Amino acid sequence: MCRVVDVRQAVLAENDTLAAALRADLAARGTVLVNLMSSPGSGKTALLECLLRRCTERGATVAALTADLATENDAKRLARAGAPVKQVLTGGLCHLECAQLRAHLDGWLPAGTQVLFVENVGNLVCPAAYDLGENLRVALMSVTEGEDKPLKYPSAFGLAHLVVLAKTDLLAAAEFDTAAFERNVAAVNPGVEIVRTSARRGEGIAALADRVMAVCRGATPHQPLLAERHLSEFGHEHGHGQHGDGREDGGVGRQDGHLDHGHGDHGHEYVDGPEHGHREQGPGTTGAPAGPRRAETAEVR
């Protein structure tokens, strides 16, 4: 049992090292990474499509990478926003890891991208354990999921820099107790902001874009107490042992670095119009850092 825990801790430690390096490399490019986590069906893709449009309207250069076990449905939907989008198929892996993410960014991430949104695999358990080099970690849930989810998934909500409540147009129909939800969020992540949104009505999208753009301007997001305690109280709900998120800088790294631009393995790029299809690629193959498991990619024609 000790050996299993040691291996898991080693995997997470390696991931944290890669995440710190990626955060520094993206910072050198002037790119902020936003990691969106939620359960399946929470409305994450619909919200991200609205958010991509709103940030673009404000003059920001954005891109999105979406991860799923199968299908390219989310990437097709996000491409309607007009931003460069890439689909990653994890081949059954229930979360995205930093090595996988970097492998798909190398040679694809357009030059001048200010905000890279990563739509993580729909899962509130395993993704919480893996730092992706993000500057802003967002935990999202819909009103149809129940007020107790922050207590059931304390790592996902406890490590978030920002919490989003989606589908607020269904508050009455779902008989959702907003006050109870807010108390439960505060119990695992004191002081974190909750942004209420409705992709259908467009509510809260501007406020969410404000938070993202503030981080782009150098604002430091909320610092979760759970990250400082290294999950000693809650641990990881899926048997991966106890660990922190591995970030020394609280998720806003501003170091010098360089993101390689090899051709490598990458999924399909979704674009809307000729103005969005630029790729910056180097002349060789650099190779991505090795990880516990690499995601497969899919191409849709």
Side-chain angles (χ1 to χ4, degrees):
M1 184 62 180
C2 292
R3 176 57 180 164
V4 172
V5 172
D6 288 345
V7 170
R8 288 168 178 163
Q9 290 178 340
V11 168
L12 291 166
E14 178 184 7
N15 182 85
D16 288 345
T17 298
L18 295 174
L22 179 58
R23 184 179 292 111
D25 290 348
L26 291 174
R29 290 172 54 109
T31 302
V32 163
L33 194 158
V34 179
N35 182 8
L36 297 173
M37 296 186 300
S38 77
S39 59
S42 62
K44 182 167 70 271
T45 305
L47 185 67
L48 180 53
E49 183 181 349
C50 294
L51 190 54
L52 288 169
R53 284 198 177 99
R54 182 57 62 94
C55 290
T56 300
E57 290 169 358
R58 294 188 178 188
T61 304
V62 298
L65 182 147
T66 179
D68 266 314
L69 275 69
T71 82
E72 298 80 40
N73 296 344
D74 286 355
K76 291 177 180 177
R77 291 174 60 188
L78 293 177
R80 298 182 305 197
V85 177
K86 188 173 187 181
Q87 178 77 57
V88 174
L89 300 180
T90 65
L93 195 63
C94 62
H95 60 277
L96 194 59
E97 298 177 9
C98 192
Q100 299 166 349
L101 174 62
R102 180 153 197 164
H104 293 286
L105 293 182
D106 286 347
W108 170 77
L109 186 64
T113 300
Q114 294 173 282
V115 185
L116 170 65
F117 292 96
V118 175
E119 182 181 12
N120 219 314
V121 178
N123 183 353
L124 281 175
V125 183
C126 298
Y130 289 85
D131 182 359
L132 298 182
E134 67 262 22
N135 305 100
L136 186 66
R137 176 180 285 212
V138 180
L140 180 147
M141 67 162 280
S142 68
V143 300
T144 59
E145 296 175 69
E147 304 87 351
D148 61 345
K149 289 301 178 291
L151 301 180
K152 288 187 173 183
Y153 302 98
S155 295
F157 289 91
L159 288 170
H161 300 121
L162 184 68
V163 172
V164 171
L165 181 63
K167 302 185 182 181
T168 55
D169 53 293
L170 299 177
L171 274 170
E175 298 183 347
F176 187 81
D177 188 337
T178 304
F181 169 72
E182 292 175 348
R183 288 194 300 270
N184 293 338
V185 170
V188 299
N189 196 342
V192 71
E193 182 183 8
I194 300 172
V195 178
R196 301 185 190 186
T197 65
S198 169
R200 177 174 295 178
R201 295 178 178 173
E203 297 171 355
I205 307 301
L208 192 52
D210 286 343
R211 306 307 183 267
V212 171
M213 298 313 298
V215 175
C216 284
R217 293 190 295 270
T220 300
H222 164 76
Q223 302 302 296
L225 292 177
L226 189 57
E228 299 175 5
R229 294 201 300 266
H230 299 284
L231 295 183
S232 60
E233 183 176 349
F234 298 116
H236 180 39
E237 301 91 340
H238 200 51
H240 288 295
Q242 293 184 343
H243 44 76
D245 72 346
R247 284 174 285 186
E248 297 177 355
D249 60 359
V252 184
R254 290 291 185 271
Q255 306 173 41
D256 290 332
H258 176 69
L259 183 62
D260 293 328
H261 296 287
H263 292 280
D265 249 354
H266 42 71
H268 187 70
E269 178 182 1
Y270 292 77
V271 296
D272 183 17
E275 67 275 19
H276 291 294
H278 177 67
R279 299 187 183 191
E280 182 183 45
Q281 296 179 333
T285 300
T286 60
R293 181 174 178 179
R294 289 189 56 185
E296 296 178 358
T297 57
E299 183 172 355
V300 175
R301 300 184 184 276

